[in-house]
Amino acid sequence: MKQDMYVPAGTPIANARAGKSKFGYLIKDVVRDKWLYLMLLPGVLYFIIFKYIPMYGVTMAFQDYKPYLGFFESPWVGLKHFERFFSEPQFGMLFRNTVVLAMYNLLFFFPLPIILSLMMNELRHARFKNFVQTLVYIPHFVSWVVVVGIFYILFTTENGILNEILYQITGRKTAFLLESDWFRTMIISQSIWKEVGWGTVIFLAALAGVDLQQYEAARIDGAGRWRQLWHITLPAIRSTIIILFILRLGNFMDSGFEHIYLMLTPTNREVGEVFDTYVYTIGMTQAQYSYSAAVGIFKSVIGLILVLGANWIAKKFGEEGIY
């Protein structure tokens, strides 16, 4: 029988053999799990078609893009649109409004799904727990148009239900939907009502993986509910909280165009105009495609910096991070 000649490790022939072996194992894995990869295919195609291929369009931010000339023949202008954006008098207002709303989301919205998940995890009656879960999930499937319509019916000064109750108690009505002082409160309240229940899905899944024997051991040692929560439950979902927080920072500058746009009025635009609505106004209604693309890139760069920075800090403190 012919034996293979010994080849020292690290040589080109050995590396080629190792590469061939790894490729063979990869093919075997794909064939073995072909149905799993087939289920993965629609998601991969979605990101390739709608996320990666359109990324070439960001080049228009460095051009004076003309639709009839296309990407290849439109003249290049370098950083002209970025310089214009940073020198615009609206830049300070847009940046302030976007950052304030983002901070409100982090401070008031982000912790609520965690708190709600911990509360729901303490429910022991299975039917009641399923009923509560269904109840808090439903608003997620309601469009922002319907949500804003519901709040309009409740808070409008013209026969709004809550405003009528307020009038009976105090003798006056408040224009919640028009006054700039109430704009951010209304936005965060609507976001909480619509999305806080759906945000519990991942946390409840993480809580389902906690070993119940740890709770039993803690009870034997005399630990109450609060001790168990602090020393067992929260550490079990800490990595999930950190990863979702880092990912949320990637969308820090995304305030949600549809939601904000539906709530904007001439009286609250000073506190409600954000980058998303500004891009729509100058890009779609005024056809300034290159300038709006530059604004979009600015938002993306800020999000990338926040994600990288938060991930670096998480790694420094010994957490997993996202990569």
Side-chain angles (χ1 to χ4, degrees), residues 16 34 68 193:
K34 56 182 178 296
Y68 56 87
W193 181 81

Side-chain angles (χ1 to χ4, degrees), residues 48-64:
I48 292 175
I49 296 172
F50 295 104
K51 300 295 182 180
Y52 289 102
I53 294 178
M55 285 180 68
Y56 183 78
V58 302
T59 56
M60 74 168 64
F62 307 94
Q63 299 174 318
D64 256 335

Side-chain angles (χ1 to χ4, degrees), residues 168-304:
Q168 295 297 327
I169 297 174
T170 64
R172 64 184 183 87
K173 296 182 179 181
T174 303
F176 295 102
L177 301 174
L178 299 177
E179 293 183 4
S180 59
D181 293 340
W182 285 98
F183 178 81
R184 290 164 180 158
T185 303
M186 297 295 292
I187 290 292
I188 300 303
S189 301
Q190 292 167 4
S191 297
I192 290 173
W193 181 81
K194 186 177 186 297
E195 300 294 347
V196 72
W198 189 251
T200 63
V201 172
I202 296 178
F203 295 112
L204 286 174
L207 289 170
V210 181
D211 188 358
L212 296 179
Q213 293 181 355
Q214 296 184 37
Y215 292 108
E216 294 176 4
R219 282 194 293 270
I220 292 173
D221 290 339
R225 284 288 182 88
W226 286 107
R227 287 286 184 179
Q228 295 174 36
L229 174 68
W230 185 257
H231 294 287
I232 299 175
T233 308
L234 285 177
I237 63 173
R238 183 176 58 194
S239 60
T240 303
I241 294 173
I242 292 173
I243 289 173
L244 290 179
F245 180 77
I246 294 172
L247 293 175
R248 191 164 189 84
L249 287 178
N251 297 321
F252 184 79
M253 304 296 284
D254 293 331
S255 305
F257 162 73
E258 184 181 5
H259 185 197
I260 302 294
Y261 185 74
L262 290 169
M263 289 292 294
L264 275 181
T265 64
T267 57
N268 61 28
R269 188 170 294 274
E270 187 65 27
V271 297
E273 187 83 78
V274 293
F275 288 128
D276 292 326
T277 55
Y278 183 66
V279 166
Y280 171 79
T281 301
I282 62 174
M284 299 303 295
T285 64
Q286 301 179 18
Q288 300 183 46
Y289 304 116
S290 295
Y291 180 59
S292 60
V295 179
I297 289 179
F298 170 75
K299 285 175 45 189
S300 300
V301 170
I302 295 295
L304 177 62

